[in-house]
Amino acid sequence: MNGTIFEVKRFAVHDGEGLRTTLFLKGCPLRCPWCQNPEGIDPAPALWYNPTVCLGCGGCAAACPNRALTLGGRIHVDRKTCTRCGTCVDRCPAGALSLCGREVSPRAAADLLLRDRAFFGTDGGVTLSGGEVLLQWEFAAEVLALCREEGVHTAIETSMQGPRAALETLLPVTDQFLVDIKLLDAEEHRRLLGVDNRLILDNYRFLCENGANVLTRTPLIPGYTDSENNIRSIARFIRLVNPEARYELLNFNPLCRSKYSALEQDYPVTGGALSPQELERFYTILAQEGIAHIIKE
Ligand code: SF4
Ligand code: SF4
């Protein structure tokens, strides 16, 4: 089964162990207000605009068969009218427009990843991320199986919002699961992310009970996930499910703001990265809750 991807990141050092190549799959069932990859939420390709290189020539608006573009200081895209035909991309002389997302076969995706295998060494490998990998789990499982056949370490980054069948299929071909648990309160989860977290927590139990190599992570998002109550509650839950859990807190990275600008969307997170002192306060909370393996950045 073919899949839709939107980025390949080479020489990644934060997407699992060692040096890795990460493939990003399109489509996500969650709506995290702080999403670092907003271009990956829509399962279909999306028109991407870089105003910093735009010449303001208006050629794209003139070429669009659906009149989805208007010029007013910068290009504005009517995303309800745009059919993602790509005509404007071909017309733009400055490379300011691109279609984010393309369909590839599992073999082509594996070849994209395995191109870097000489750099993986003994501890690196390939990682699938998104978007949400579980939305394209049949494609993902084929890609990972092909990498495994070549003796390459495999990992996925996932929110766990997906069907149990996906995990059952991915388990035999995935050496490590990097699992995000963002909020433990079900109502808060539903209010902010669009769904409650029952499926996520059930899937987490399933993975831990079935011998998966799991690294649990929580992104520290100012004003959303970085409360003592939330971090303490998550720590209690994961220690109960897996007393030997490895747990990592991911500091907020505000660099994604430019992506929201390119999509003409507001970014609601106003704070910056947490200070070393604030991180230490959370590490103390994890130790108080009995987390034995705290992974520090
Ligand atoms: S992708 Fe096609 S429909 Fe969308 S703005 Fe460009 S030319 Fe118009
Ligand atoms: S064709 Fe390209 S350079 Fe010209 S206005 Fe459109 S996006 Fe900008």
Side-chain angles (χ1 to χ4, degrees), residues 46-47 60-61 63-69 75-79 81-91 97-99:
L47 189 63
C60 55
C64 175
N66 299 307
R67 299 174 185 241
L69 299 174
I75 286 295
H76 296 279
V77 186
D78 180 345
R79 295 187 185 276
T81 312
C82 172
T83 57
R84 300 147 171 152
C85 67
T87 304
C88 57
V89 176
D90 296 337
R91 176 65 179 75
L97 292 161
S98 56
L99 277 176

Side-chain angles (χ1 to χ4, degrees), residues 83-147:
T83 57
R84 300 147 171 152
C85 67
T87 304
C88 57
V89 176
D90 296 337
R91 176 65 179 75
C92 176
L97 292 161
S98 56
L99 277 176
C100 173
R102 62 190 166 110
E103 188 178 312
V104 293
S105 69
R107 181 70 261 173
D111 288 345
L112 277 173
L113 292 162
L114 294 169
R115 191 184 298 171
D116 300 329
R117 60 179 306 174
F119 302 101
F120 296 155
T122 52
D123 55 350
V126 302
T127 301
L128 299 188
S129 184
E132 173 48 60
V133 173
L134 301 190
L135 271 194
Q136 299 191 58
W137 55 276
E138 289 155 305
F139 167 72
E142 285 189 62
V143 174
L144 294 182
L146 289 167
C147 293

Side-chain angles (χ1 to χ4, degrees), residues 174-192:
T174 306
D175 293 310
Q176 186 173 39
F177 289 82
L178 307 168
V179 175
D180 279 7
I181 298 182
K182 305 171 200 325
L183 291 161
L184 204 74
D185 183 86
E187 198 41 52
E188 190 75 343
H189 201 283
R190 183 198 300 279
R191 186 176 69 80
L192 288 172

